Amino acid sequence: MNPVSTTLLILLLPLFSAAVIALGLRRQGALAAGLSTTIAGAIALLSWQLIFSGQRNFNASWEWLRLGDLVVSLGFKFDDLAALMLFVVSFIGFLIHIFSLGYMRDDAARARFFGGLSIFMFSMLGIVLADNLFMIFIFWELVGFSSYLLIGHWHERSAAAEAAKKAFIVNRVGDFGFLLGIIMCYWSNGTVNLAALEAQHVPSTMIALLLFCGAAGKSAQLPLQVWLPDAMEGPTPVSALIHAATMVAAGIYLLCRINVLMVPEALTVIMWIGTVTALYAALCAVVQRDIKKVLAYSTLSQLGYMVAAFGLGSLTLRHEMGGVVHEMVIATGVGAAMFHLTTHAFFKALLFLGSGSVIHGCHHEQDIFKMGGLRAKMPITFITFTLGVLAIIGMPGLAGFFSKDAILYLAFEKNTMVFAVLVFTAVLTSFYMIRVWKLTFWGVARSDHAAQAHESSFIMTLPLVVLAVLSIIGGYAAFFGRLAGEVAELVPEATGAAHSTILLVSLGVMLTGASTAWLFYASAETDSLEEKFRLGFRGLTGLKESFDRLYTYYVAKIQQRLAMLLNFIEQIFLAGLLIRGLGGVVTLVGYGARSLYTGSLHTYVYWFLLGAALLWAFAAGIF
């Protein structure tokens, strides 16, 4: 099978699975789960074959729609960037399918859930493989639709239904800007094909920022971040698939795909949005009690890291030879962002699935202050979750250490202020992750659910073990370089004094945050932060809720009142004066004209003479 056929098969297999489940297996949960998981396994195998076959760089395109000079094509662009993202989506997607077999075993709507997973896989694979912005946008919207279905899987719960609507609406805001950017890109360049844009394009800050709107929505960057924490109302496998490894990473992937369209002014805006988002989310995570919401805000923060890395741009080495200054790009934000995207997918999917194992073992308890003592009751979950925590806080030797240090080094060389903010964010990351880890697994059980906790089944712990291994080896050059190809060569690598500085900073950050959390939560009966720093705790809680309040105020006081004004104008002027008023005038004219038809010959003669006189006066120039 040639690479193009393999790629087409990878794309269409999940669509086939979703169609079969929707049409014939809606009441057959076990069969639907088996089909969806088998298809996900086949996608992982085919993706592995395609990635390591040695035939990475190819393009294929077919004309789909022609409207005058506008040609919309569907095609594939497979290169090192697509190979890296394909591995993340297909392999982690397969592991989450396996975990879901155990987690969703007793769910009455299991068939609908796995059908949603299949349509989501189809949508994400379309984004990864697309060769033009129009095709990306089509699958971009399908991702939004499928995430709406999965977040609202338990739609009978009002919180889940509201979260699904919120995610859908907020993403539409970003997608509107994305669509405008695509239109402007076509208008300026005459094409939206990625290969053609790389060859020749018109630099534009407006186009770059409008396209970034789409990434800001999917990757939940300020001010469009409000949907992600609420989306934790969906099943935990959904949180792992959509909100840790794939959907939210689609925004980062999009930025790297359209890197050629970026200009310095746009990169500066993107850099600061990512930096502020990273800090904001880390501050919010510190005051969370729900284990999944801590991880949700952690995801927001790590996505901010990736966006900031992309915005930092290229690192250039300047040297003089023979009186001529030479410049050479030795690293880029694309490399650092994709490196952290990959390692984050491993350890954050591990943490989310680990939290799902904890929730399942504790009979759906999610409050970390009602857990405790799970270390002995859930040993496999404890060990794998611990590795995920160590990876995200930057333990030397684990995947997160290498990727986070790459971003910090790039910031260290490019922007001191961004470096300082990201370092402080890393301290907070270490603090809230050790807080979750200690309150969940150490001490004594603080509720009946925790006291009766049990280890999850083999089908649920197996993905945890595999992801734990990837969280260890994922950052090493031998693994990542083989997976990412040329992308790996763009990853910043500190040398000399800078290497020592970044290493010392990373160790100091990790130890400061971790030791503070360990000592601070010596007693887990109550939240020590709330007790000892009540004012600061309230401030952070208010920070978390401030955007929701702002949007609620905007909708109620501005948007709703504007809608009422427009409705009034429509009722009075359009429906009233313009439509009914003109209709009334026409009716009166009709009544008047009808009254002229009397049926009397004498009356018609008089009208004829009057008309003839008026016509003569007009012809004579009197009027």
Side-chain angles (χ1 to χ4, degrees):
M1 187 180 297
N2 62 60
V4 175
S5 300
T6 302
T7 306
L8 186 61
L9 186 60
I10 289 171
L11 178 62
L12 295 181
L13 275 176
L15 179 62
F16 168 78
S17 172
V20 171
I21 292 172
L23 297 176
L25 300 178
R26 285 180 293 177
R27 299 182 183 276
Q28 304 294 325
L31 288 177
L35 174 63
S36 181
T37 305
T38 302
I39 292 293
I43 292 169
L45 288 174
L46 290 170
S47 298
W48 185 275
Q49 176 190 346
L50 186 64
I51 292 168
F52 296 106
S53 65
Q55 297 178 314
R56 286 196 180 182
N57 295 306
F58 63 85
N59 295 278
S61 183
W62 303 272
E63 184 177 318
W64 176 48
L65 182 65
R66 179 181 291 272
L67 298 172
D69 295 331
L70 173 63
V71 177
V72 180
S73 299
L74 299 178
F76 302 135
K77 177 179 174 62
F78 193 75
D79 53 11
D80 288 330
L81 189 63
L84 181 59
M85 193 66 182
L86 179 62
F87 177 84
V88 170
V89 173
S90 62
F91 194 70
I92 294 183
F94 174 52
L95 292 177
I96 292 172
H97 273 77
I98 294 176
F99 183 88
S100 300
L101 291 175
Y103 193 87
M104 303 297 292
R105 181 179 56 191
D106 299 324
D107 193 279
R110 184 163 44 153
R112 174 160 52 83
F113 175 82
F114 278 93
L117 287 185
S118 292
I119 196 66
F120 177 81
M121 290 288 288
F122 168 68
S123 307
M124 273 302 306
L125 290 169
I127 292 175
V128 172
L129 299 171
D131 74 334
N132 65 83
L133 292 177
F134 280 141
M135 183 175 172
I136 288 177
F137 185 78
I138 293 170
F139 286 100
W140 198 264
E141 294 304 298
L142 280 174
V143 164
F145 166 72
S146 55
S147 67
Y148 169 79
L149 293 179
L150 291 170
I151 294 169
H153 175 72
W154 291 322
H155 56 83
E156 63 276 4
R157 290 163 34 184
S158 60
E162 291 298 323
K165 288 190 291 184
K166 188 175 186 179
F168 190 82
I169 292 170
V170 172
N171 273 276
R172 297 293 74 72
V173 175
D175 293 352
F176 180 67
F178 184 26
L179 180 60
L180 291 179
I182 294 173
I183 294 171
M184 285 191 65
C185 183
Y186 182 82
W187 182 33
S188 300
N189 301 286
T191 183
V192 290
N193 182 274
L194 296 172
L197 290 173
E198 289 178 10
Q200 182 179 2
H201 69 277
V202 178
S204 169
T205 303
M206 182 60 70
I207 291 175
L209 290 178
L210 285 173
L211 293 176
F212 172 67
C213 287
K218 284 288 186 289
S219 291
Q221 297 298 288
L222 286 169
L224 301 178
Q225 84 291 352
V226 293
W227 67 270
L228 185 60
D230 289 3
M232 296 302 106
E233 293 294 335
T236 300
V238 172
S239 303
L241 180 66
I242 294 180
H243 311 121
T246 53
M247 174 180 164
V248 291
I252 311 300
Y253 177 76
L254 172 67
L255 290 178
C256 296
R257 259 290 178 238
I258 61 173
N259 180 51
V260 66
L261 298 176
M262 291 296 157
V263 295
E265 295 79 8
L267 286 174
T268 300
V269 174
I270 292 170
M271 174 190 70
W272 280 112
I273 288 177
T275 303
V276 174
T277 301
L279 177 59
Y280 162 82
L283 289 170
C284 291
V286 170
V287 297
Q288 296 299 310
R289 297 175 64 99
D290 186 318
I291 186 172
K292 286 177 64 177
K293 289 210 172 175
V294 175
L295 297 178
Y297 279 107
S298 173
T299 299
L300 270 178
S301 185
Q302 298 304 306
L303 289 169
Y305 256 88
M306 300 174 210
V307 172
F310 176 83
L312 286 166
S314 302
L315 185 59
T316 305
L317 177 65
R318 301 168 63 93
H319 64 278
E320 185 176 344
M321 182 180 295
V324 179
V325 177
H326 297 273
E327 293 186 352
M328 181 176 64
V329 176
I330 59 173
T332 69
V334 170
M338 288 302 298
F339 189 22
H340 197 52
L341 181 153
T342 306
T343 61
H344 176 265
F346 298 153
F347 58 70
K348 188 54 67 67
L350 169 60
L351 290 170
F352 265 111
L353 293 185
S355 72
S357 180
V358 168
I359 293 167
H360 187 266
C362 292
H363 309 281
H364 299 282
E365 178 60 68
Q366 296 185 200
D367 189 339
I368 56 178
F369 285 91
K370 295 181 180 179
M371 295 179 183
L374 300 182
R375 178 166 53 100
K377 293 180 173 58
M378 308 181 70
I380 299 176
T381 301
F382 168 69
I383 294 171
T384 54
F385 196 92
T386 300
L387 287 171
V389 169
L390 293 176
I392 194 174
I393 68 175
M395 171 65 74
L398 299 187
F401 168 77
F402 296 105
S403 60
K404 187 175 289 187
D405 276 19
I407 296 175
L408 290 178
Y409 172 66
L410 191 62
F412 179 74
E413 294 289 341
K414 298 279 292 184
N415 193 303
T416 304
M417 183 62 72
V418 171
F419 174 73
V421 174
L422 293 182
V423 166
F424 180 63
T425 302
V427 174
L428 294 174
T429 301
S430 183
F431 178 86
Y432 65 69
M433 288 308 305
I434 294 299
R435 170 179 177 262
V436 167
W437 178 66
K438 184 176 183 182
L439 293 175
T440 301
F441 293 100
W442 294 82
V444 297
R446 295 182 294 277
S447 69
D448 292 338
H449 288 157
Q452 299 169 10
H454 56 83
E455 183 60 276
S456 299
S457 63
F458 173 77
I459 200 72
M460 293 175 66
T461 54
L462 177 62
L464 300 182
V465 174
V466 176
L467 288 169
V469 172
L470 289 173
S471 298
I472 297 172
I473 68 173
Y476 287 92
F479 177 84
F480 184 73
R482 180 167 174 76
L483 188 64
E486 293 182 1
V487 175
E489 299 176 5
L490 304 176
V491 175
E493 183 177 352
T495 58
H499 176 77
S500 300
T501 300
I502 297 300
L503 179 60
L504 290 174
V505 167
S506 297
L507 289 174
V509 161
M510 182 190 69
L511 293 175
T512 300
S515 59
T516 303
W518 184 267
L519 296 173
F520 206 72
Y521 289 95
S523 172
E525 297 301 324
T526 57
D527 193 331
S528 301
L529 183 64
E530 184 177 10
E531 282 191 344
K532 297 178 181 179
F533 302 97
R534 192 172 299 276
L535 185 61
F537 187 90
R538 289 179 179 176
L540 293 179
T541 304
L543 177 66
K544 176 179 70 73
E545 299 171 352
S546 59
F547 280 89
D548 283 329
R549 291 174 179 170
L550 178 62
Y551 288 139
T552 301
Y553 178 86
Y554 165 76
V555 171
K557 302 298 183 181
I558 299 176
Q559 181 174 294
Q560 190 64 21
R561 292 183 180 182
L562 178 61
M564 292 172 64
L565 175 62
L566 293 176
N567 180 67
F568 174 78
I569 292 173
E570 190 273 336
Q571 293 293 328
I572 298 299
F573 293 99
L574 294 180
L577 295 179
L578 191 60
I579 298 176
R580 293 189 180 90
L582 288 178
V585 171
V586 171
T587 301
L588 290 175
V589 171
Y591 281 130
R594 188 172 66 179
S595 66
L596 299 178
Y597 292 90
T598 62
S600 172
L601 180 62
H602 296 85
T603 302
Y604 295 154
V605 170
Y606 291 137
W607 281 117
F608 173 77
L609 292 175
L610 178 60
L614 291 173
L615 180 63
W616 172 82
F618 180 79
I622 295 176
F623 298 123

